[in-house]
Amino acid sequence: MVSRIGREIELSPVEMGSRLGRNVKINMASGSPDPSTIPVDEIGRAYEEVLADLGPRSLFYPGAGGQQELIEEVNKYLPAIGLRSKDPIVITSGAQHAIELLSKYFLENGTVVVENPTFVETFSAFKLRASVTIPVTVDGKGISTDELELVTKIVKPDLVYVIPDCHNPAGVNLNEERRKILVELAEERDFYVIEDDPYRPIAGCVPAPLKNYDRSGRVIHVSSFSKILAPGLRIGFVVAPPEIAEKLSLMEQLDFSTSTLNQYVVSRLLRSGFILSRTKILPEHYRKKMKVLVDSLTDAGISEFNQPSCGFFLLLDLKRDAHRVLEEAVRQGLAFVPAKDFFLRGGETMARLSITVPNEEQIKAGVEILKRVIRG
Amino acid sequence: MVSRIGREIELSPVEMGSRLGRNVKINMASGSPDPSTIPVDEIGRAYEEVLADLGPRSLFYPGAGGQQELIEEVNKYLPAIGLRSKDPIVITSGAQHAIELLSKYFLENGTVVVENPTFVETFSAFKLRASVTIPVTVDGKGISTDELELVTKIVKPDLVYVIPDCHNPAGVNLNEERRKILVELAEERDFYVIEDDPYRPIAGCVPAPLKNYDRSGRVIHVSSFSKILAPGLRIGFVVAPPEIAEKLSLMEQLDFSTSTLNQYVVSRLLRSGFILSRTKILPEHYRKKMKVLVDSLTDAGISEFNQPSCGFFLLLDLKRDAHRVLEEAVRQGLAFVPAKDFFLRGGETMARLSITVPNEEQIKAGVEILKRVIRG
């Protein structure tokens, strides 16, 4: 006997892209933050400090729900990412683990609404447990709340999963008006909204989180230190209504997967103000790189994309089969992620281009390759 | 809508015990290794080394399945814990995460056999997914294979979950004869055996793992660096038949919870021989402490327990309600874990005593308190 998850799990195109990316000159496939921004020295000093301060205690089992010290520091940090909520915080092994916990908590068959496109790796956690998954269009202003409202007149979703800021892969922000409508809909039609928001800390100026509009415990905010600090620590958090947060904490007894030591390290880097200082620098760093990509594409006469608002990704319509384009691009030294699997409807010609790993010169060279391949 | 796991998850008595343990003088409730054995300095130096050597690369996202460097080091380490297998290795966030992955892979309703008693925290992962859970008696030689054989004549289990070495909470080893019978039964009756073996690295001389007898891909070996190194790193591994290992790796895309940096740290401590050197020292350390507990109990005229073979735990029959005894013991400064929830049948009067946190004097003082409470 094998479970549905065991039978249906597949290699994600992101994982495949990241394997491809290691073997080419220009890696526009990666979802990792820019390696040049990863603060290796500061992280090293934080490990030293924690081990010296806490000794063996820093290496005990993590309690379910997260270390109290980190929970308190995250609480003080929330205003820096514009989050106003008195709901409890649950520490997780990054946002991906948080989504897995939430999916495991909510879904047993059931109905989930996701954006079209959505982030394929988090989507898997929902897809493998839901009996119905409904895609709702994302345009330049994020998820279409008109379409969502229509959907909710036909079926009652259990969950709506959105990436409101620096959308992966679409690059857009959900605008303020739609945020309000989405939360009102959740209250009216009795569903939960999972706000997956790992890019917010590096987003700069974006609308307030959905969670800020939540008056009736319908929104669950998921965040991460992967983009603002480093993904290899595997530390993120959830802000959720008390009864849900309590259950998520208990469910962490099933995996106990979040490193105690790494929790203390992030806690110290929050306390010292180091992470805060990065929320002021990194948005501009990524904005500059994205401008290079957008300008290069425009100069090359390639224009079939939404203007990305922030974050790591630009979603480009190649106007031809993206997998075929990728094959040739890889031969010429460029990797990206074909975005078909991010879509429940369409997407065969879409490509997700990332600006994190390549430097400015490499971004320009990557676009040159792309241009040659498309025109070729 | 909330899933079955979401509805049924509860606070584990181990978690409760570990919270209690923080507030008393003598903590015999903890499942953590002896804090005095946690090599804080060596771990600190390993972090320094990895960060200096690999820089940002040590802080990227973990690939699903684990870092290749660590997989290779684990492969070289297997003989040190007596494991002979050519099956692939999957790195996990500790053994608990491994059990959660395995349960998620195998069980969707279905039938699972567990030991009576079994480790309550890993058991939860199975219990919350199985439709039938069947307890099979553990005696001084481990799980009763006679009883198991009888059970398999009535129902076909999908999984049999055992802790063959230094059983938690029973303290016993499964003897060699029964190991062979168990693996033969698995082949004959077509079920999988999960061999949860986190204590093996600190066990000293114990029979060969079940995995060594596995000729038809029926045994999955789960191991951990929590006892031999430190639980706070959250690194463990699975050795499983190729088709299962492949699926477990893919399923790690759903949580990506295993810290990349911590994987490299364990890898370096394996490569340097440091972990190997501990497999030669720690068994004797724990054996000495266990002898103090056994001798103190015997001197106190308390004799209702199996002689523990190795590991951290002794399972004692208090001959009265263990929760009531705990209440009074806590008032006198001693915490332990009432073992009722480790049993599917019986166990109301059973207590799990741990030797890891208290030193020898505290173990003696703990037994004195226990004696007063039982007799009082």
Side-chain angles (χ1 to χ4, degrees), chain A residues 78-95:
Chain A
L78 294 184
I81 54 170
L83 191 67
R84 289 192 322 272
S85 172
K86 295 212 178 307
D87 274 353
I89 293 158
V90 179
I91 305 300
T92 64
S93 311

Side-chain angles (χ1 to χ4, degrees), chain B residues 221-266:
Chain B
H221 185 92
V222 175
S223 191
S224 170
F225 293 99
S226 290
K227 319 298 179 186
I228 189 75
L229 194 60
L233 300 170
R234 310 313 300 133
I235 303 293
F237 62 89
V238 172
V239 181
E243 67 284 6
I244 296 174
E246 168 69 15
K247 291 287 191 159
L248 296 178
S249 280
L250 290 174
M251 284 171 61
E252 289 192 342
Q253 297 175 147
L254 296 175
D255 58 42
F256 277 129
S257 65
T258 316
S259 163
T260 322
L261 181 56
N262 296 8
Q263 289 188 57
Y264 282 116
V265 162
V266 172

Side-chain angles (χ1 to χ4, degrees), chain A residues 26 46 55 66 76 78 85 93 132 147 177 225 257 259 261 267 271 291 312 326 359:
Chain A
I26 302 171
K76 290 181 213 155
L78 294 184
S85 172
S93 311
V132 182
E147 196 177 311
E177 190 195 345
F225 294 99
S257 65
S259 162
L261 180 57
S267 162
R271 187 187 293 173
K291 188 170 183 310
F312 297 173
L326 177 66
N359 61 30

Side-chain angles (χ1 to χ4, degrees), chain B residues 9-24:
Chain B
I9 186 85
E10 287 174 344
L11 184 63
S12 114
V14 174
E15 190 67 4
M16 207 161 6
S18 108
R19 291 177 194 180
L20 257 182
R22 279 177 220 135
N23 303 312
V24 293

